[in-house]
Amino acid sequence: MKSILLAAILAFGVSAASAHEYKAGSIEIKHPWSRATPKGSEVAGGYMKLINTGTEPDRLIGGSTAGAGKFEIHEMGMDNGVMKMRMLPKGVEIKPGQTVEFKPGSYHLMFVGLKQPFEKGKRVKGTLQFEKAGTVDVEYVVEAVGGSPDHGAMDHGDMKMSH
Ligand SMILES: [Cu+2]
């Protein structure tokens, strides 16, 4: 167990150093992060890990983000060999003991209508709203533009069609 932990720390040493977390009721929110956006981009993704340490299910139902007009909860997945996104109007359930990871290519938050680009190294303030745990303030660490599929690489025309 110890060696697995150590390996994980070594492998993720850089992000572990900047890890930060929040708590709302029995929900732990690990390392919310976003990605730097190109100039003129109107959307940014939001990622984190949610852990339900309680005995009742809870649900992420919404939130807000500084500098963005709209906060949406999305899911991305393969549909007939095509990467598709859909909005989850009811949010995402986190069962007791469950960890739900928001990451590129999977569940993610989408901040729509950015007033200015997200810059690498900055922090973006926001809130997350849970059905039972209520509303909690968080900060997203803005990381570099990455190579894995996310909004930067996606055609948003497709996304709107699937809504
Ligand atoms: Cu999305």
Side-chain angles (χ1 to χ4, degrees):
M1 187 63 198
K2 239 181 193 163
S3 61
I4 293 170
L5 264 176
L6 186 62
I9 289 165
L10 289 175
F12 299 104
V14 176
S15 40
S18 63
H20 58 301
E21 58 182 77
Y22 303 90
K23 206 154 192 243
S26 54
I27 303 293
E28 283 179 12
I29 303 146
K30 303 262 189 204
H31 191 57
W33 63 283
S34 186
R35 279 210 172 122
T37 57
K39 219 181 167 180
S41 174
E42 292 205 337
V43 294
Y47 315 101
M48 72 220 154
K49 240 186 224 175
L50 299 178
I51 302 163
N52 187 346
T53 61
T55 53
E56 304 256 307
D58 204 344
R59 189 172 271 278
L60 176 69
I61 50 172
S64 64
T65 308
K70 256 183 11 185
F71 177 104
E72 293 179 356
I73 301 166
H74 285 198
E75 180 181 41
M76 197 186 268
M78 295 301 274
D79 179 16
N80 275 330
V82 181
M83 206 52 149
K84 281 234 170 104
M85 256 200 297
R86 70 192 177 99
M87 193 161 75
L88 303 172
K90 290 185 189 153
V92 175
E93 188 185 50
I94 313 126
K95 294 191 177 77
Q98 195 188 13
T99 299
V100 176
E101 197 168 354
F102 286 66
K103 60 184 179 186
S106 178
Y107 290 125
H108 58 278
L109 306 176
M110 197 159 109
F111 314 139
V112 186
L114 300 188
K115 294 182 186 89
Q116 57 186 53
F118 283 7
E119 285 173 51
K120 187 189 165 201
K122 295 235 163 120
R123 286 186 172 219
V124 176
K125 285 186 197 297
T127 62
L128 294 174
Q129 195 189 345
F130 297 92
E131 202 168 66
K132 295 198 180 100
T135 301
V136 59
D137 291 328
V138 297
E139 274 184 355
Y140 300 87
V141 174
V142 180
E143 297 184 359
V145 179
S148 46
D150 77 340
H151 295 104
M154 288 260 326
D155 180 352
H156 264 80
D158 282 356
M159 194 204 82
K160 275 176 192 132
M161 269 162 37
S162 65
H163 277 180

